[in-house]
Amino acid sequence: MSKHVLTFCAVSTAATFALPSVAAAQGAPQAASATPPALAAPKALALPAMVERTLPNGLRLVIVEQHELPVVDAQLVIRTGSEADPAGKAGLATLTANLLDEGTGTRDALALAEEVGFLAIRLGTFAGLEQSTVSLHTTRATLDSAMALMADVVLRPSFPEKEFTRLKNERLTGLLQEQDRGPAMADRAYAALVYGEDHPYGRSTSGVKESVESLSLDDTRQFWSTWYRPNNATLVLVGDLSLAEAEALAARAFGGWARATLPPAPAYASNRAAARPTAIHIVDKPKAAQSSFRIGGIGVSRSTADYYPLMVMNTALGGSFTSRLNNTLREVKGYTYGAGSSFSMRRERGPFTARAEVVSAKTDSALIEFMKELRNIRQPLPAAELAKVKRYLRLGYADGFESTGDIAAQLAGLVPYGLPLSTLGAFVAGIDKVTAADVQRVATQYLDPARLTIVIAGDRASIEPALKATRIAPVDVRDARGRPVIVP
């Protein structure tokens, strides 16, 4: 670090002393042009070769050779997450993942942390709705030792009771803290109102107080032994190693992992809020200085044939800094530091959500602007805006492949949805084919202002009268789990 700083300073100093003579040689400074330079056509994105293999135990391998730097990134993706939490045990998948690196058969938590530091690697564990992941970043020089450590975490976690108790108490403390955070309150209520608490998408991956309190150490062991199996996993390896080296490395580390018969995939409950008329639900946070908006409903699955038109449409609406929502609510009106929207595409139909944190006094005004933009996006997209959005998506896509870690993350992102590796290379062409008619069609099909769930977490006493006065939709009060609250 210090060497880089010193080098930078030396270059900067030399450049500073050279400036006067350069300026003198060139004469008076020229006025800047008022015309921005024309952008060149974007270069074609050349993706690295991606190879698939399968070990005898069923572990799928995805291997990418990248030899620019002597580093390797690995991601082991288990195709099960909190969707498989048993009834009344919400939060189990995430707590299980958190425990993996808290001790193994040969190392306690401290010894494990010391070895990670000694090897100078990054080792992480995570669980989401539909996957659990163990990630590794290491240099080529420490690859064998790092991969052995990663395998130890996956195959031989010790589930120490002391660490389980600590993590469980930390989770309960975090859940308590969420009760004073408007954005977290809005997120929880919104998910529950759109899907219902009986649906995996209607619950937080962290669980709730009652479900976390019910979790036992045996629950985490059972979740791990059931779902952490090679025939339910994909190992992504990206970096400075050959195909043969990658296969041999994976076989040494994970070849002895025993496969098992997996339970049936969790059955999802029906989408409860699929066709309800628009309603406004206030989650009361007394004296809140801002209101947290969550507006939308059930969207699409990742396998939708409308993926590319939806990407273009949402980018225009709220998926970029220059999008309509952010421009209107931040730049023009000054109600918020940022507003946006997204389709969370999952195995089943995930939610569409428009969101912002808005100064409390402008809650009603902000809602009016949200509704305007949600109606306007259903009109034909101007040619110039369509071209700008498509160019933004094409140029920005390359950012996801800059490093070995980026490439590994892109590949790991395909695993929960069973998407082929060719999906990554098809993105630019898919975006290029989108027409204005496509955008209008999907906006009309998936965004209906008459069928929206609107959740606003804020100071009910100050925002409720103004929201009712907008006459946009009926207004009621809910708690942070989306349940009705009886008010005087």
Side-chain angles (χ1 to χ4, degrees), residues 192-203:
L193 283 161
V194 171
Y195 288 96
E197 290 185 274
D198 55 346
H199 193 289
Y201 295 175
R203 303 189 295 260

Side-chain angles (χ1 to χ4, degrees), residues 36-123:
L39 292 175
K43 295 181 180 179
L45 176 63
L47 296 181
M50 297 167 278
V51 179
E52 291 187 72
R53 294 287 188 269
T54 303
L55 296 185
N57 61 2
L59 178 63
R60 177 185 177 224
L61 308 179
V62 178
I63 303 163
V64 176
E65 294 187 46
Q66 284 285 92
H67 300 288
E68 287 88 348
L69 293 172
V71 296
V72 174
D73 274 86
Q75 291 210 24
L76 182 79
V77 183
I78 306 295
R79 293 185 291 273
T80 306
S82 62
E83 59 177 344
D85 286 348
K89 299 286 186 178
L92 176 58
T94 52
L95 190 58
T96 301
N98 293 158
L99 267 172
L100 295 180
D101 60 353
E102 294 295 338
T104 69
T106 58
R107 304 171 179 88
D108 62 13
L110 181 59
L112 192 61
E114 287 177 344
E115 187 154 357
V116 167
F118 175 76
L119 295 173
I121 63 175
R122 290 198 303 268
L123 182 65

Side-chain angles (χ1 to χ4, degrees), residues 292-367:
S292 298
F293 280 73
R294 305 293 184 266
I295 303 173
I298 295 172
V300 298
S301 67
R302 179 58 183 86
S303 61
T304 178
D306 289 327
Y307 176 79
Y308 297 112
L310 285 168
M311 288 291 292
V312 173
M313 184 273 289
N314 183 70
T315 301
L317 174 63
S320 69
F321 186 81
T322 58
S323 68
R324 295 181 178 192
L325 284 174
N326 196 60
N327 184 65
T328 297
L329 290 164
R330 173 192 161 105
E331 302 298 316
V332 177
K333 298 296 184 178
Y335 297 159
T336 178
Y337 284 113
S341 62
S342 63
F343 280 87
S344 296
M345 301 181 188
R346 300 169 182 166
R347 284 197 196 122
E348 302 296 327
R349 296 170 61 200
F352 163 77
T353 311
R355 65 181 66 225
E357 315 303 322
V358 172
V359 60
S360 185
K362 297 297 183 180
T363 301
D364 56 330
S365 301
L367 180 58

Side-chain angles (χ1 to χ4, degrees), residues 8-25:
F8 176 78
C9 290
V11 172
S12 300
T13 303
T16 302
F17 282 115
L19 285 176
S21 60
V22 172

Side-chain angles (χ1 to χ4, degrees), residues 66-364:
Q66 284 285 92
H67 300 288
E68 287 88 348
L69 293 172
V71 296
V72 174
D73 274 86
Q75 291 210 24
L76 182 79
V77 183
I78 306 295
R79 293 185 291 273
T80 306
S82 62
E83 59 177 344
D85 286 348
K89 299 286 186 178
L92 176 58
T94 52
L95 190 58
T96 301
N98 293 158
L99 267 172
L100 295 180
D101 60 353
E102 294 295 338
T104 69
T106 58
R107 304 171 179 88
D108 62 13
L110 181 59
L112 192 61
E114 287 177 344
E115 187 154 357
V116 167
F118 175 76
L119 295 173
I121 63 175
R122 290 198 303 268
L123 182 65
T125 61
F126 166 81
L129 271 169
E130 295 167 318
Q131 77 285 331
S132 301
T133 305
V134 179
S135 61
L136 172 70
H137 175 80
T138 178
T139 64
R140 172 61 193 254
T142 56
L143 177 57
D144 285 343
S145 298
M147 186 61 71
L149 190 63
M150 181 186 192
D152 216 21
V153 164
V154 175
L155 307 185
R156 291 170 288 276
S158 58
F159 295 100
E161 185 169 2
K162 176 183 177 182
E163 305 302 338
F164 168 79
T165 301
R166 176 180 62 82
L167 290 173
K168 181 175 174 177
N169 288 337
E170 288 178 357
R171 177 72 60 86
L172 290 169
T173 300
L175 292 173
L176 183 62
Q177 291 171 337
E178 279 188 9
Q179 297 177 20
D180 192 43
R181 296 172 181 164
M185 296 166 68
D187 286 338
R188 281 183 175 270
Y190 179 73
L193 283 161
V194 171
Y195 288 96
E197 290 185 274
D198 55 346
H199 193 289
Y201 295 175
R203 303 189 295 260
S204 168
T205 59
S206 298
V208 295
K209 179 177 181 290
E210 297 85 351
S211 68
V212 173
E213 285 179 337
S214 75
L215 297 180
S216 68
L217 194 54
D218 283 341
D219 290 330
T220 61
R221 292 192 182 108
Q222 181 64 34
F223 190 95
W224 168 78
S225 65
T226 300
W227 298 108
Y228 282 69
R229 294 294 180 175
N231 48 314
N232 192 36
T234 296
L235 176 63
V236 177
L237 288 166
V238 182
D240 187 22
L241 73 176
S242 68
L243 176 60
E245 289 172 329
E247 288 187 79
L249 181 70
R252 286 197 302 273
F254 295 102
W257 193 5
R259 66 183 298 147
T261 301
L262 299 170
Y268 293 171
S270 61
N271 292 332
R272 190 177 69 180
R276 292 186 301 183
T278 294
I280 301 169
H281 309 287
I282 297 175
V283 180
D284 191 18
K285 188 178 184 305
K287 301 185 186 299
Q290 66 180 17
S291 296
S292 298
F293 280 73
R294 305 293 184 266
I295 303 173
I298 295 172
V300 298
S301 67
R302 179 58 183 86
S303 61
T304 178
D306 289 327
Y307 176 79
Y308 297 112
L310 285 168
M311 288 291 292
V312 173
M313 184 273 289
N314 183 70
T315 301
L317 174 63
S320 69
F321 186 81
T322 58
S323 68
R324 295 181 178 192
L325 284 174
N326 196 60
N327 184 65
T328 297
L329 290 164
R330 173 192 161 105
E331 302 298 316
V332 177
K333 298 296 184 178
Y335 297 159
T336 178
Y337 284 113
S341 62
S342 63
F343 280 87
S344 296
M345 301 181 188
R346 300 169 182 166
R347 284 197 196 122
E348 302 296 327
R349 296 170 61 200
F352 163 77
T353 311
R355 65 181 66 225
E357 315 303 322
V358 172
V359 60
S360 185
K362 297 297 183 180
T363 301
D364 56 330

